[in-house]
Amino acid sequence: MTDVSLNFRQAAFAQETGRIPIALITLDHEDLDDPIYISSDPTQRIESLTTATQVVYGTISNGKTYIYLPVTIKLPDDSDEGSGEMTLEIDNIHRGYMEAIRSIFSPVTCQVDIVMDNTPDVIEASWPEFQMVNIRYDASVVSCTLKAESLETEPFPAGTFTPGQFPGLFN
């Protein structure tokens, strides 16, 4: 069970509310100069990025500027079986996305945080260290699956006590 703030619970259980949960998505990879910050809500106008020809909206949270892009995200189930997987769809509104996707050959690390529109610095829920896999794209949508790294493939126990590795035990 994920613990969330009273602010989030009041908005979630209200019959009507003006509060909006916002997904903040951070994409990072060793080949990228800086992480990519995406917001699911146009919370405010970002003056530092607005130009004479383009108005930019997004969310500022914990000192980071997240740019608004139309996204659809399916969060993982909150179960005892682990963190599961998420699906992420981003509207393909810029051809730079295709260039970035085609230039990266290893999984991109993705973190998803949920905040409320009236308290963007308070992280209500977080899913760190997911890997983007199964990336698909067409003219309108870039979609992918986000999976947590599985510990099931790690060897257990990590080492075995054999005469070759621990000769002192077998004297």
Side-chain angles (χ1 to χ4, degrees), residues 19-161:
R19 301 279 62 101
I20 300 170
I22 302 169
L24 301 176
I25 302 163
T26 304
L27 304 175
D28 198 8
H29 191 272
E30 60 192 22
D31 292 343
L32 296 173
D33 295 332
D34 295 314
I36 299 170
Y37 299 108
I38 301 171
S39 172
S40 66
D41 183 67
T43 309
Q44 66 189 62
R45 185 175 174 159
I46 308 297
E47 296 297 333
S48 61
L49 299 175
T50 298
T51 63
T53 59
Q54 182 179 10
V55 177
V56 178
Y57 288 91
T59 305
I60 297 176
S61 175
N62 295 309
K64 297 175 186 160
T65 302
Y66 294 82
I67 304 302
Y68 167 68
L69 291 175
V71 299
T72 303
I73 187 163
K74 179 201 169 283
L75 298 175
D77 296 333
D78 193 10
S79 67
D80 294 335
E81 297 166 1
S83 54
E85 63 182 40
M86 294 186 263
T87 56
L88 175 66
E89 292 182 353
I90 303 171
D91 284 3
N92 189 7
I93 57 176
H94 195 279
R95 89 176 144 200
Y97 297 155
M98 292 303 109
E99 295 168 8
I101 289 170
R102 291 176 182 152
S103 69
I104 295 175
F105 297 104
S106 58
V108 174
T109 303
C110 181
Q111 176 172 335
V112 178
D113 296 322
I114 302 295
V115 299
M116 295 299 290
D117 64 334
N118 62 336
T119 56
D121 291 333
V122 177
I123 297 174
E124 301 292 345
S126 182
W127 293 270
E129 299 297 322
F130 274 71
Q131 302 291 319
M132 290 180 83
V133 295
N134 301 330
I135 299 173
R136 299 167 305 280
Y137 54 89
D138 59 25
S140 60
V141 174
V142 177
S143 62
C144 66
T145 303
L146 304 175
K147 288 190 173 191
E149 187 174 343
S150 175
L151 297 177
E152 293 174 356
T153 59
E154 294 295 321
F156 180 79
T160 56
F161 293 102

